[in-house]
Amino acid sequence: MSRRRWIGLAVALAVPVGFLCVVLIDNVMSGLGACRVVRQRAFASPSGSQLVVVVWKTCGATVPDSTQASIIARGRTFSPESTPTFVSVRGRLETVVAWSSERAVRIGFIPEASQFDKRDQRAGDVAISYE
């Protein structure tokens, strides 16, 4: 076999092998940085038309765990990627939710939250107060 053929064969093999290595490394790296979301509880509004969904989010050793809450309409599927959170606190805390009406909810944490990453006063047409 000529030298030119060997070089052509080596290049032809190097391209797919290199591509597979890049895909494998990307999968391993994204798996290491992936977050795990565990749904804890859902609290229904007085009419049952809306839910406050509470989750714990863990993203590995470099990012602290957090407790987060979102509001969704009953019957909708909760998705951490597409459902915005209105509150996020550091740590895995027990969450207490009390709906005052269809448009007002109170939320508290046990033990008391010491560090908020996000703390909105409204989620859509629902007013949120913190205790």
Side-chain angles (χ1 to χ4, degrees), residues 23-104:
V23 169
L24 178 64
I25 290 169
D26 181 58
N27 282 340
V28 168
M29 296 306 285
S30 66
L32 292 174
C35 294
R36 185 170 158 240
V37 176
V38 179
R39 184 172 167 164
Q40 295 303 302
R41 290 193 59 194
F43 300 87
S45 64
S47 74
S49 65
Q50 300 182 88
L51 299 170
V52 170
V53 178
V54 178
V55 299
W56 286 344
K57 186 173 183 181
T58 303
C59 294
T62 59
V63 178
D65 291 353
S66 64
T67 300
Q68 301 179 0
S70 304
I71 295 179
I72 62 170
R74 172 148 336 262
R76 303 276 320 256
T77 303
F78 172 78
S79 166
E81 292 81 26
S82 63
T83 307
T85 60
F86 65 84
V87 65
S88 178
V89 297
R90 299 269 172 102
R92 290 185 176 193
L93 307 178
E94 184 67 30
T95 307
V96 179
V97 174
W99 287 87
S100 306
S101 70
E102 285 299 308
R103 299 195 194 279

Side-chain angles (χ1 to χ4, degrees), residues 1-10:
M1 195 183 271
S2 71
R3 181 180 176 152
R4 182 176 252 173
R5 271 207 146 129
W6 278 110
I7 292 172
L9 183 60

